[in-house]
Amino acid sequence: MNSQPEPTMYSCVQDPSDIESNRSEDAEIKINESNRIFTTERCQNRYVVLFALVAIGTGVCAAFISLGVQSVSNDLELRFQKKASVLVRAIQATWKDYELAGSWIHETCRSKNNVESEGEKFDICSRKDFGELYEYIVAGGLKFQSIAYVPNVTDHYREVLEAQAASYYSEFYPDMFYFGFIGLEPDPSSESGFAFRGRSQQPFYFPTHLIEPVVGNEY
C-alpha cells in the first residue's frame, strides 16, 4: 500500500517583528498625513492673514489719502475765499474812488457859468479849471486813461461852444483838426447804414466837450 505524502502545512501566525514594523509604518503614515494637513492649514491661515493685512493696509491708506485730499481741498477753498474777499474789497474801494472822481468832475464842471449866448448863461467850467482838476486827480494816484465831461447842450448853445473849442484846439493843439459836435449820422453808403461825422441839427446834443489829456484821446 502506497503511502500518500502529507501535505505541507503553512502557519498563519505573523512574525511579531513584522507586526511591529507594520504598526510603525502606519503610525509614520498617519503622522506624515497629519503634518501635511497641518502644513496646509498653516499655509491657508497665512494666506488669510496676509490678505487681511493687505485689505486693512489698503483701507487705511485709502482713508489717509481721502483725509489728505479733503484737507488740501478745504485749504484751497479757504485760500480762495480769503483772496476773493480781499479782491472784492479792493474792487469796491477802487470803484468808490472812481465814483468820487466822477462826482468831483460833475460838480466842478457845473459850478461856474462860463458860456453865454444871447444873454443866457450855460453852466460849464473853463478848460483851465478842467485841466487843473485833471492834475488834482492824477496827483491822488487814481489810474485812468482820461477824464471827460459830456454835458447836455441844447441847440441854442451849440454854435458858441463849437467856436470856443475850435479856438482852443487851434491855439494849443494846432495839429489836431476839430470837427465840432460829432456823432452817428445816416449814411446809405456805409454797411451799417451810419457814419461817424458832424451832427445834423438836433434839439439837444451830448458832446464830449472837455477831455484831459487831449493827446492820445483825439477823436
Side-chain angles (χ1 to χ4, degrees), residues 37-104:
I37 294 173
F38 178 73
T39 302
T40 302
E41 290 180 351
R42 287 185 62 184
C43 290
Q44 291 177 348
N45 291 336
R46 287 179 180 177
Y47 290 140
V48 171
V49 172
L50 179 62
F51 178 77
L53 290 176
V54 171
I56 294 173
T58 302
V60 172
C61 290
F64 276 111
I65 292 174
S66 177
L67 290 175
V69 171
Q70 185 66 30
S71 177
V72 171
S73 178
N74 293 337
D75 183 62
L76 291 176
E77 184 177 358
L78 182 61
R79 290 184 180 181
F80 172 77
Q81 290 178 353
K82 289 182 178 179
K83 290 183 178 179
S85 178
V86 172
L87 180 60
V88 168
R89 287 197 296 268
I91 292 174
Q92 289 176 341
T94 304
W95 184 262
K96 289 182 179 179
D97 291 340
Y98 284 103
E99 283 185 333
L100 179 60
S103 299
W104 191 6

Coordinates of all heavy atoms in Angstrom, one line a residue, residues 37-104:
I37 N -1.6 67.8 6.6 CA -2.8 68.6 6.8 C -2.5 69.8 7.6 O -3.0 70.9 7.3 CB -3.8 67.7 7.5 CG1 -4.2 66.5 6.6 CG2 -5.1 68.5 7.9 CD1 -5.1 65.5 7.3
F38 N -1.7 69.7 8.6 CA -1.3 70.9 9.5 C -0.6 71.9 8.7 O -0.8 73.1 8.8 CB -0.5 70.4 10.7 CG 0.0 71.5 11.6 CD1 -1.0 72.1 12.4 CD2 1.3 71.9 11.6 CE1 -0.5 73.1 13.3 CE2 1.7 72.9 12.4 CZ 0.8 73.5 13.3
T39 N 0.3 71.5 7.8 CA 1.1 72.4 7.0 C 0.2 73.2 6.0 O 0.3 74.4 5.8 CB 2.2 71.7 6.2 OG1 3.1 71.0 7.1 CG2 3.0 72.7 5.4
T40 N -0.8 72.4 5.4 CA -1.7 73.0 4.5 C -2.6 74.0 5.2 O -2.8 75.1 4.7 CB -2.6 71.9 3.9 OG1 -1.8 71.0 3.2 CG2 -3.6 72.5 2.9
E41 N -3.0 73.7 6.4 CA -3.9 74.6 7.2 C -3.1 75.8 7.6 O -3.6 77.0 7.5 CB -4.4 73.9 8.4 CG -5.4 72.9 8.1 CD -5.9 72.2 9.4 OE1 -5.3 72.4 10.5 OE2 -6.9 71.4 9.3
R42 N -1.8 75.7 7.9 CA -0.9 76.8 8.3 C -0.8 77.7 7.1 O -0.8 79.0 7.2 CB 0.4 76.3 8.8 CG 0.4 75.7 10.2 CD 1.8 75.4 10.7 NE 2.6 76.6 10.8 CZ 3.9 76.6 11.1 NH1 4.5 75.4 11.3 NH2 4.5 77.7 11.2
C43 N -0.5 77.1 5.9 CA -0.4 77.9 4.7 C -1.7 78.7 4.4 O -1.6 79.9 4.0 CB 0.0 77.0 3.5 SG 1.7 76.4 3.6
Q44 N -2.8 78.0 4.5 CA -4.1 78.7 4.3 C -4.3 79.8 5.3 O -4.7 80.9 4.9 CB -5.2 77.7 4.4 CG -5.2 76.7 3.2 CD -6.3 75.6 3.4 OE1 -6.9 75.5 4.4 NE2 -6.5 74.8 2.3
N45 N -3.9 79.6 6.5 CA -4.1 80.6 7.5 C -3.2 81.8 7.2 O -3.5 83.0 7.4 CB -3.8 80.1 8.9 CG -4.8 79.1 9.4 OD1 -6.0 79.1 8.9 ND2 -4.4 78.2 10.3
R46 N -2.0 81.5 6.7 CA -1.0 82.6 6.4 C -1.6 83.4 5.3 O -1.5 84.6 5.3 CB 0.3 82.0 6.0 CG 1.1 81.4 7.1 CD 2.4 80.9 6.6 NE 3.3 80.3 7.7 CZ 4.4 79.7 7.6 NH1 4.9 79.6 6.3 NH2 5.1 79.3 8.6
Y47 N -2.2 82.8 4.2 CA -2.8 83.5 3.1 C -3.9 84.4 3.6 O -4.1 85.5 3.2 CB -3.3 82.5 2.1 CG -2.2 81.9 1.3 CD1 -2.3 80.5 0.9 CD2 -1.0 82.6 0.9 CE1 -1.2 79.9 0.3 CE2 0.0 81.9 0.2 CZ -0.1 80.6 -0.1 OH 0.9 80.0 -0.8
V48 N -4.7 83.8 4.5 CA -5.9 84.6 5.1 C -5.4 85.8 5.8 O -5.9 86.9 5.7 CB -6.7 83.7 6.0 CG1 -7.8 84.5 6.7 CG2 -7.4 82.6 5.2
V49 N -4.3 85.6 6.7 CA -3.8 86.7 7.4 C -3.2 87.7 6.5 O -3.3 88.9 6.7 CB -2.7 86.2 8.4 CG1 -2.0 87.3 9.1 CG2 -3.4 85.3 9.5
L50 N -2.4 87.2 5.5 CA -1.8 88.1 4.5 C -2.8 89.0 3.8 O -2.7 90.2 3.6 CB -0.9 87.3 3.5 CG -0.2 88.2 2.5 CD1 0.8 89.1 3.1 CD2 0.5 87.2 1.5
F51 N -3.9 88.3 3.3 CA -5.0 89.0 2.6 C -5.6 90.0 3.5 O -5.9 91.2 3.1 CB -6.0 88.0 2.1 CG -7.2 88.6 1.4 CD1 -7.1 89.1 0.1 CD2 -8.4 88.8 2.1 CE1 -8.1 89.7 -0.5 CE2 -9.5 89.4 1.5 CZ -9.3 89.8 0.2
A52 N -5.8 89.6 4.8 CA -6.5 90.6 5.8 C -5.6 91.8 6.0 O -6.0 92.9 6.0 CB -6.7 89.8 7.1
L53 N -4.2 91.5 6.1 CA -3.3 92.6 6.3 C -3.3 93.6 5.1 O -3.3 94.8 5.3 CB -1.9 92.1 6.6 CG -1.7 91.4 7.9 CD1 -0.2 90.8 8.0 CD2 -1.9 92.4 9.1
V54 N -3.3 93.0 3.9 CA -3.3 93.8 2.7 C -4.6 94.6 2.6 O -4.6 95.8 2.3 CB -3.1 92.9 1.4 CG1 -3.4 93.7 0.2 CG2 -1.8 92.3 1.4
A55 N -5.7 94.0 2.9 CA -7.0 94.7 2.9 C -7.0 95.8 3.9 O -7.5 96.9 3.6 CB -8.1 93.7 3.1
I56 N -6.6 95.5 5.1 CA -6.6 96.5 6.2 C -5.6 97.7 5.8 O -6.0 98.9 5.9 CB -6.2 95.9 7.5 CG1 -7.3 95.0 8.0 CG2 -6.0 97.0 8.5 CD1 -6.9 94.2 9.2
G57 N -4.4 97.3 5.3 CA -3.5 98.4 4.9 C -4.0 99.2 3.7 O -3.9 100.4 3.7
T58 N -4.7 98.6 2.8 CA -5.3 99.3 1.6 C -6.4 100.3 2.1 O -6.4 101.4 1.7 CB -5.9 98.4 0.6 OG1 -4.8 97.5 0.1 CG2 -6.4 99.1 -0.6
G59 N -7.2 99.8 3.1 CA -8.2 100.6 3.6 C -7.7 101.8 4.4 O -8.2 102.9 4.3
V60 N -6.6 101.5 5.2 CA -6.0 102.6 6.0 C -5.4 103.6 5.0 O -5.5 104.9 5.2 CB -5.0 102.0 7.0 CG1 -4.2 103.2 7.6 CG2 -5.7 101.2 8.0
C61 N -4.7 103.2 4.0 CA -4.1 104.1 3.1 C -5.1 104.9 2.3 O -5.0 106.1 2.2 CB -3.2 103.3 2.0 SG -1.7 102.6 2.7
A62 N -6.2 104.3 1.9 CA -7.3 105.0 1.3 C -7.9 106.0 2.2 O -8.2 107.2 1.7 CB -8.3 104.0 0.8
A63 N -8.0 105.7 3.4 CA -8.6 106.6 4.4 C -7.7 107.8 4.6 O -8.1 109.0 4.6 CB -8.8 105.9 5.7
F64 N -6.4 107.6 4.7 CA -5.4 108.7 4.8 C -5.4 109.5 3.6 O -5.3 110.8 3.7 CB -4.0 108.1 5.2 CG -3.8 107.8 6.6 CD1 -3.6 106.5 7.1 CD2 -3.7 108.9 7.5 CE1 -3.4 106.3 8.4 CE2 -3.5 108.6 8.9 CZ -3.4 107.3 9.3
I65 N -5.4 108.9 2.4 CA -5.4 109.7 1.2 C -6.6 110.5 1.1 O -6.6 111.7 0.7 CB -5.3 108.7 0.0 CG1 -3.9 108.1 -0.1 CG2 -5.6 109.5 -1.3 CD1 -3.8 107.0 -1.1
S66 N -7.8 109.9 1.4 CA -9.0 110.7 1.4 C -9.0 111.9 2.3 O -9.4 113.0 2.0 CB -10.2 109.8 1.8 OG -11.4 110.5 1.8
L67 N -8.5 111.7 3.6 CA -8.3 112.8 4.5 C -7.4 113.8 4.0 O -7.6 115.0 4.2 CB -7.8 112.2 5.9 CG -8.8 111.4 6.7 CD1 -8.2 110.8 7.9 CD2 -10.1 112.2 7.0
G68 N -6.3 113.4 3.4 CA -5.3 114.3 2.8 C -5.9 115.2 1.7 O -5.7 116.4 1.7
V69 N -6.6 114.5 0.8 CA -7.3 115.2 -0.3 C -8.3 116.2 0.2 O -8.4 117.3 -0.3 CB -7.9 114.2 -1.3 CG1 -8.8 114.9 -2.3 CG2 -6.8 113.4 -2.0
Q70 N -9.1 115.7 1.2 CA -10.1 116.6 1.7 C -9.5 117.8 2.4 O -10.0 118.9 2.3 CB -11.0 115.8 2.7 CG -12.2 116.6 3.3 CD -13.2 117.0 2.2 OE1 -13.3 116.2 1.3 NE2 -13.9 118.1 2.4
S71 N -8.4 117.6 3.1 CA -7.7 118.6 3.8 C -7.1 119.7 2.8 O -7.3 120.9 3.0 CB -6.6 118.1 4.7 OG -5.8 119.1 5.3
V72 N -6.5 119.2 1.7 CA -6.0 120.0 0.7 C -7.1 120.8 0.1 O -7.0 122.0 -0.2 CB -5.2 119.2 -0.3 CG1 -4.8 120.1 -1.5 CG2 -3.9 118.6 0.3
S73 N -8.2 120.1 -0.2 CA -9.4 120.8 -0.8 C -9.9 121.9 0.1 O -10.2 123.0 -0.4 CB -10.5 119.8 -1.2 OG -11.6 120.4 -1.7
N74 N -10.0 121.6 1.3 CA -10.5 122.6 2.3 C -9.5 123.8 2.4 O -10.0 125.0 2.5 CB -10.7 122.0 3.7 CG -11.9 121.0 3.7 OD1 -12.8 121.0 2.8 ND2 -11.8 120.1 4.6
D75 N -8.2 123.5 2.4 CA -7.2 124.5 2.4 C -7.3 125.4 1.2 O -7.2 126.7 1.3 CB -5.9 123.9 2.6 CG -4.8 125.0 2.8 OD1 -4.8 125.7 3.8 OD2 -3.9 125.1 1.9
L76 N -7.4 124.8 0.0 CA -7.5 125.6 -1.2 C -8.8 126.5 -1.2 O -8.7 127.6 -1.7 CB -7.5 124.7 -2.4 CG -6.2 123.9 -2.7 CD1 -6.3 123.0 -3.9 CD2 -5.1 125.0 -3.0
E77 N -9.9 125.9 -0.8 CA -11.1 126.6 -0.7 C -11.0 127.8 0.2 O -11.5 128.9 -0.1 CB -12.3 125.7 -0.3 CG -13.6 126.4 -0.4 CD -14.8 125.5 0.0 OE1 -14.5 124.3 0.2 OE2 -15.9 126.0 0.0
L78 N -10.4 127.6 1.4 CA -10.2 128.7 2.3 C -9.3 129.8 1.8 O -9.6 131.0 1.9 CB -9.6 128.1 3.6 CG -9.4 129.1 4.8 CD1 -10.7 129.7 5.2 CD2 -8.7 128.4 6.0
R79 N -8.2 129.4 1.1 CA -7.3 130.4 0.5 C -8.1 131.2 -0.6 O -7.9 132.4 -0.7 CB -6.1 129.7 -0.1 CG -5.1 129.1 0.9 CD -3.9 128.5 0.2 NE -3.0 128.0 1.2 CZ -1.8 127.4 0.8 NH1 -1.5 127.4 -0.4 NH2 -1.0 126.9 1.8
F80 N -8.9 130.4 -1.4 CA -9.6 131.1 -2.5 C -10.6 132.1 -1.9 O -10.7 133.3 -2.4 CB -10.4 130.1 -3.3 CG -11.3 130.7 -4.3 CD1 -10.8 131.3 -5.5 CD2 -12.7 130.8 -4.1 CE1 -11.7 131.8 -6.4 CE2 -13.5 131.3 -5.0 CZ -13.1 131.9 -6.2
Q81 N -11.3 131.7 -0.8 CA -12.2 132.6 -0.2 C -11.6 133.9 0.4 O -12.1 135.0 0.2 CB -13.0 131.9 0.9 CG -14.0 130.8 0.4 CD -14.6 130.1 1.6 OE1 -14.3 130.3 2.7 NE2 -15.6 129.3 1.2
K82 N -10.4 133.7 1.0 CA -9.6 134.8 1.5 C -9.2 135.8 0.4 O -9.4 137.0 0.5 CB -8.4 134.4 2.3 CG -8.8 133.7 3.6 CD -7.5 133.3 4.4 CE -7.9 132.7 5.7 NZ -6.7 132.2 6.5
K83 N -8.6 135.2 -0.7 CA -8.2 136.0 -1.8 C -9.3 136.7 -2.5 O -9.2 137.9 -2.8 CB -7.4 135.2 -2.8 CG -6.0 134.7 -2.3 CD -5.3 133.9 -3.4 CE -3.9 133.4 -2.9 NZ -3.2 132.7 -3.9
A84 N -10.4 136.0 -2.6 CA -11.6 136.6 -3.3 C -12.2 137.7 -2.4 O -12.6 138.7 -2.9 CB -12.7 135.5 -3.5
S85 N -12.2 137.5 -1.1 CA -12.6 138.6 -0.2 C -11.8 139.8 -0.3 O -12.3 140.9 -0.4 CB -12.7 138.0 1.2 OG -13.1 139.0 2.1
V86 N -10.4 139.6 -0.3 CA -9.5 140.7 -0.4 C -9.7 141.4 -1.8 O -9.7 142.7 -1.8 CB -8.1 140.3 -0.3 CG1 -7.1 141.4 -0.6 CG2 -7.8 139.7 1.1
L87 N -9.9 140.6 -2.8 CA -10.1 141.2 -4.2 C -11.4 142.0 -4.3 O -11.4 143.1 -4.8 CB -10.0 140.1 -5.2 CG -10.2 140.6 -6.7 CD1 -9.1 141.5 -7.1 CD2 -10.2 139.4 -7.6
V88 N -12.4 141.5 -3.7 CA -13.7 142.2 -3.7 C -13.6 143.5 -3.0 O -14.1 144.5 -3.5 CB -14.8 141.2 -3.1 CG1 -16.1 142.0 -2.9 CG2 -15.1 140.1 -4.1
R89 N -13.0 143.5 -1.8 CA -12.8 144.7 -1.1 C -12.0 145.7 -1.8 O -12.3 146.9 -1.8 CB -12.2 144.4 0.3 CG -13.2 143.7 1.3 CD -12.6 143.9 2.7 NE -11.4 143.2 2.9 CZ -11.3 141.9 3.3 NH1 -12.4 141.2 3.5 NH2 -10.1 141.3 3.4
A90 N -11.0 145.3 -2.5 CA -10.1 146.2 -3.3 C -10.9 146.8 -4.5 O -10.8 148.0 -4.7 CB -8.9 145.4 -3.8
I91 N -11.7 145.9 -5.1 CA -12.5 146.4 -6.2 C -13.6 147.4 -5.7 O -13.8 148.5 -6.3 CB -13.2 145.2 -6.9 CG1 -12.2 144.4 -7.7 CG2 -14.3 145.8 -7.9 CD1 -12.8 143.1 -8.3
Q92 N -14.2 147.1 -4.6 CA -15.2 148.0 -4.0 C -14.5 149.4 -3.7 O -15.1 150.5 -3.9 CB -15.8 147.4 -2.8 CG -16.8 146.3 -3.1 CD -17.3 145.6 -1.9 OE1 -16.8 145.7 -0.8 NE2 -18.4 144.9 -2.0
A93 N -13.4 149.3 -3.1 CA -12.7 150.6 -2.7 C -12.3 151.4 -3.9 O -12.5 152.6 -4.0 CB -11.4 150.2 -1.8
T94 N -11.8 150.7 -4.9 CA -11.4 151.4 -6.2 C -12.6 151.9 -6.9 O -12.6 153.1 -7.4 CB -10.7 150.4 -7.1 OG1 -9.5 149.8 -6.4 CG2 -10.2 151.1 -8.4
W95 N -13.7 151.2 -6.9 CA -14.9 151.7 -7.5 C -15.4 152.9 -6.8 O -15.9 153.9 -7.5 CB -16.0 150.6 -7.4 CG -17.3 151.0 -8.1 CD1 -18.4 151.5 -7.6 CD2 -17.5 150.9 -9.6 NE1 -19.4 151.7 -8.5 CE2 -18.8 151.4 -9.8 CE3 -16.8 150.5 -10.6 CZ2 -19.4 151.5 -11.0 CZ3 -17.3 150.6 -11.9 CH2 -18.6 151.1 -12.1
K96 N -15.3 153.0 -5.5 CA -15.7 154.2 -4.8 C -14.8 155.4 -5.2 O -15.3 156.5 -5.2 CB -15.7 153.9 -3.3 CG -16.8 153.0 -2.8 CD -16.7 152.8 -1.3 CE -17.8 151.9 -0.8 NZ -17.8 151.7 0.7
D97 N -13.5 155.1 -5.4 CA -12.6 156.2 -5.8 C -13.0 156.7 -7.1 O -13.0 158.0 -7.3 CB -11.2 155.6 -5.9 CG -10.6 155.3 -4.5 OD1 -11.1 155.8 -3.5 OD2 -9.6 154.5 -4.5
Y98 N -13.4 155.9 -8.1 CA -13.8 156.4 -9.4 C -15.2 157.1 -9.3 O -15.4 158.1 -10.0 CB -14.0 155.2 -10.4 CG -12.6 154.7 -10.9 CD1 -12.0 153.5 -10.4 CD2 -11.9 155.4 -11.8 CE1 -10.8 153.1 -10.9 CE2 -10.7 155.0 -12.3 CZ -10.1 153.9 -11.8 OH -8.9 153.4 -12.3
E99 N -16.1 156.6 -8.4 CA -17.3 157.3 -8.2 C -17.1 158.7 -7.6 O -17.7 159.7 -8.1 CB -18.2 156.5 -7.2 CG -18.9 155.3 -7.9 CD -19.9 154.6 -6.9 OE1 -19.7 154.8 -5.7 OE2 -20.9 154.0 -7.4
L100 N -16.2 158.8 -6.7 CA -15.8 160.1 -6.1 C -15.2 161.0 -7.1 O -15.6 162.2 -7.2 CB -14.8 159.9 -4.9 CG -14.4 161.1 -4.2 CD1 -15.6 161.9 -3.6 CD2 -13.4 160.8 -3.1
A101 N -14.3 160.5 -8.0 CA -13.7 161.3 -9.0 C -14.8 161.8 -10.0 O -14.8 163.0 -10.4 CB -12.7 160.5 -9.8
G102 N -15.7 160.9 -10.4 CA -16.8 161.3 -11.3 C -17.7 162.4 -10.7 O -18.1 163.3 -11.4
S103 N -18.0 162.2 -9.4 CA -18.8 163.3 -8.8 C -18.1 164.6 -8.7 O -18.7 165.7 -8.8 CB -19.2 162.8 -7.3 OG -20.0 161.6 -7.4
W104 N -16.8 164.5 -8.4 CA -16.0 165.7 -8.3 C -16.0 166.4 -9.7 O -16.1 167.7 -9.7 CB -14.5 165.3 -7.9 CG -13.6 166.4 -7.6 CD1 -14.0 167.7 -7.4 CD2 -12.2 166.3 -7.3 NE1 -12.9 168.5 -7.1 CE2 -11.8 167.6 -7.0 CE3 -11.3 165.3 -7.2 CZ2 -10.5 167.9 -6.6 CZ3 -10.0 165.5 -6.9 CH2 -9.6 166.8 -6.6

